[in-house]
Amino acid sequence: RRSLLTIVQLQSLIDERNHELNRWKFKSLNDTRRISHTLNNLDTHSALVMALSQSDAPWLHHILHTLHKNGASVQTILRRIEDAITNGYRPHSYNQDELDLALLVYRVGGGTLLSALNQRLCLPS
């Protein structure tokens, strides 16, 4: 039947097939990207589960609760747990004297001085 088509009709048919082929190629690329993203998320979740199963620290619940409450992503939670395991976990529970000192430093020297003292003396900022 194609032998009865004119050159213009054949060219139109080829263009339609090329358009359809390109549409399928784009769909394939999008599916590949979506699968890759899903596999990456699965790897991250698996790493988090492994970190949680290997860590038997009492502060783990506190880190998870705080980060989850603040809306942190799984990657951020995993990074914080890894940092806490490698560098040690040092929670900051400030007493009233430290808070008063931080307020005094802020009022006298401003935010830059308070930030510097936070880095050096672990004052609340």
Side-chain angles (χ1 to χ4, degrees):
R1 296 186 105 199
R2 290 192 182 151
S3 62
L4 300 177
L5 297 176
T6 65
I7 300 244
V8 173
Q9 291 172 330
L10 287 173
Q11 185 62 42
S12 173
L13 185 63
I14 289 172
D15 290 342
E16 287 175 18
R17 297 294 164 108
N18 283 338
H19 179 70
E20 186 176 345
L21 181 64
N22 285 336
R23 192 172 50 84
W24 282 105
K25 285 179 184 178
F26 286 131
K27 184 179 180 341
S28 172
L29 288 173
N30 283 336
D31 289 344
T32 302
R33 183 187 52 81
R34 190 176 303 119
I35 290 169
S36 174
H37 181 72
T38 303
L39 288 175
N40 195 10
N41 280 344
L42 182 62
D43 287 343
T44 303
H45 284 79
S46 296
L48 177 61
V49 168
M50 289 301 295
L52 292 175
S53 67
Q54 291 175 354
S55 177
D56 196 19
W59 43 261
L60 190 58
H61 176 73
H62 177 68
I63 287 178
L64 287 175
H65 176 71
T66 303
L67 291 174
H68 180 68
K69 182 177 73 174
N70 293 335
S73 67
V74 175
Q75 291 89 354
T76 303
I77 293 172
L78 183 60
R79 227 176 306 125
R80 290 284 175 90
I81 291 173
E82 289 172 349
D83 288 345
I85 291 171
T86 57
N87 301 329
Y89 179 65
R90 296 180 306 273
H92 294 289
S93 297
Y94 301 112
N95 59 28
Q96 191 60 40
D97 291 338
E98 292 170 327
L99 293 172
D100 290 340
L101 180 60
L103 182 61
L104 177 67
V105 168
Y106 179 73
R107 288 191 176 161
V108 171
T112 306
L113 178 62
L114 182 60
S115 178
L117 290 178
N118 171 269
Q119 296 295 319
R120 184 70 180 133
L121 303 176
C122 294
L123 285 179
S125 60

